[in-house]
Amino acid sequence: MAHLVPYDAVGGVEVAAKSIADGTYDGFSFSRLYLADKQRNESENQPGVYFRALGRLLRLKPDLVIASLWRCCAVLVFYKLFRPRVRAVTFLHSACTVHWLDFILNYFSMCLSSEIWADSLSTLNARVPGRWHRKARVISFLVDRVSPVQRMTPKPRFVFWGRIHSMKGLGRALTVFHEFQEFFPDASFSIIGPDDGELAFLRKLIVETGIQNVEFPGCMDREDIFAFANNGSFYLQTSVDEGMAMSVVEAMQLGLVPVVTPVGEIPRYCQDGHNAVLVHDDESAVRSVLRLLDDPEEYQRLSRNAVQTWQDKPLYRDDVLEACRHVLAV
């Protein structure tokens, strides 16, 4: 079987995909194919990468092809034209469509698929028509077990990691942080990850509004991110749209208290005042964080609850492999 992914990056889709190594599992082989090789400065928008991916599939002849994101759906649709009997899976990773091409390609891919996988129930309900729910399932996006750090005294240190993209709502996150900084001038906010078109805007916003103590460390390995984040107390992300929001899940496993907007799957596992601070409006969120800093025991309660939320959940690797067995067995 083969899992098609647009390119190797630090986003939730790519990190989860890499958690399953190429190899043989219970009698079937598993491989991951990227459309574009970023190390060779290839762009996923070049037509040639699609023809190359299709050629590789035709040579490999996998019995099952999984397509993540709309670009890979285009390859899957054409591969099904050449091999109509191949088992196919469309893997959805966001509750919202990006544009009309995203909608069309995912729709045709879902038509041709034996199963439709979604990173969350919110994604499944938003993207999969009711008549196809019988062949749809939610895949766990818990990539691995992360050891939490005990934070006895919370500090006004905020952190975010992921793509620096407009969808992540980091402009609003900076506004929330700026309001909070009026009470704690020494508060800090670290925004970790690659620029995906939004960094220049954020830097301009910081200069224009006079926000202090914001840093952009750039890209890091997951282990380095976790080590860096262990110095923080709050995970701040005010996304406009989301699917599962894997970085929020990782932050909760570390024991960070998430300060997040209730979009996508987030409100299903982040409960305001129990294991998170939900950002319905900026002022209320700032007041909630101030109360937690003033009450370490209450902060520790939310931190413990955040960790416990994910302790008994299945791992992505196990869920995907089990789902593959089911598709091949039907």
Side-chain angles (χ1 to χ4, degrees):
M1 71 186 71
H3 185 184
L4 287 172
V5 185
Y7 47 80
D8 190 3
V10 298
V13 177
E14 296 82 14
V15 170
K18 285 191 290 187
S19 70
I20 306 179
D22 290 359
T24 301
Y25 300 90
D26 295 339
F28 58 80
S29 62
F30 188 97
S31 61
R32 184 173 59 257
L33 300 180
Y34 295 113
L35 297 187
D37 186 347
K38 292 295 185 179
Q39 292 183 350
R40 297 195 302 181
N41 294 320
E42 288 183 343
S43 170
E44 65 278 12
N45 296 319
Q46 295 173 345
V49 303
Y50 295 86
F51 291 110
R52 185 178 64 193
L54 179 59
R56 292 181 67 186
L57 287 178
L58 290 171
R59 288 192 299 272
L60 290 172
K61 295 183 174 61
D63 296 323
L64 169 62
V65 178
I66 306 161
S68 285
L69 305 175
W70 65 270
R71 289 181 173 87
C72 294
C73 289
V75 178
L76 176 60
V77 168
F78 278 100
Y79 185 59
K80 282 285 288 186
L81 294 178
F82 286 98
R83 295 195 66 206
R85 294 186 179 182
V86 72
R87 303 292 174 88
V89 170
T90 302
F91 205 160
L92 302 169
H93 299 276
S94 175
C96 298
T97 55
V98 180
H99 41 56
W100 65 270
L101 197 55
D102 178 15
F103 176 83
I104 291 174
L105 287 172
N106 270 289
Y107 182 85
F108 279 112
S109 183
M110 286 190 286
C111 284
L112 299 171
S113 291
S114 303
E115 281 197 2
I116 303 165
W117 298 350
D119 68 349
S120 63
L121 187 59
S122 60
T123 295
L124 190 155
N125 289 334
R127 301 286 298 278
V128 182
R131 64 184 179 278
W132 290 336
H133 277 200
R134 58 179 175 77
K135 64 175 183 178
R137 70 167 71 202
V138 174
I139 297 294
S140 170
F141 253 65
L142 189 66
V143 173
D144 53 24
R145 309 292 178 190
V146 180
S147 299
V149 172
Q150 183 68 28
R151 294 170 173 81
M152 299 306 296
T153 303
K155 299 177 182 178
R157 296 176 181 170
F158 299 80
V159 65
F160 162 90
W161 60 88
R163 295 178 301 129
I164 302 178
H165 186 277
S166 59
M167 192 176 293
K168 297 299 181 181
L170 288 167
R172 184 180 182 185
L174 285 171
T175 300
V176 171
F177 174 71
H178 194 207
E179 292 184 20
F180 176 83
Q181 206 170 42
E182 294 180 7
F183 301 93
F184 284 88
D186 294 334
S188 64
F189 186 16
S190 301
I191 300 174
I192 305 168
D195 180 20
D196 202 356
E198 193 75 353
L199 183 57
F201 165 76
L202 298 179
R203 289 191 183 279
K204 182 179 178 182
L205 178 65
I206 289 168
V207 172
E208 290 178 347
T209 55
I211 306 174
Q212 301 294 317
N213 302 331
V214 178
E215 63 174 341
F216 298 93
C219 294
M220 294 184 183
D221 293 334
R222 292 181 75 239
E223 293 76 12
D224 293 335
I225 290 174
F226 298 159
F228 187 99
N230 280 332
N231 293 318
S233 294
F234 299 94
Y235 181 83
L236 177 56
Q237 179 173 314
T238 52
S239 294
V240 178
D241 295 310
E242 279 293 349
M244 187 61 186
M246 197 171 78
S247 55
V248 179
V249 174
E250 292 171 339
M252 293 174 75
Q253 289 182 279
L254 288 171
L256 294 169
V257 172
V259 182
V260 290
T261 43
V263 296
E265 191 73 3
I266 291 174
R268 294 184 185 274
Y269 58 79
C270 282
Q271 299 166 14
D272 199 23
H274 173 69
N275 59 8
V277 174
L278 293 184
V279 184
H280 296 288
D281 66 86
D282 298 357
E283 290 185 7
S284 295
V286 170
R287 288 196 299 270
S288 295
V289 173
L290 290 172
R291 284 194 295 268
L292 291 176
L293 285 169
D294 195 46
D295 188 349
E297 290 187 3
E298 179 66 1
Y299 173 87
Q300 290 165 22
R301 182 181 70 83
L302 265 66
S303 177
R304 288 194 301 270
N305 290 341
V307 172
Q308 291 172 0
T309 301
W310 302 103
Q311 286 186 336
D312 298 324
K313 298 296 189 294
L315 291 177
Y316 171 90
R317 175 185 178 278
D318 299 333
D319 230 15
V320 166
L321 293 176
E322 179 58 33
C324 287
R325 293 186 191 97
H326 180 266
V327 174
L328 293 171
V330 173

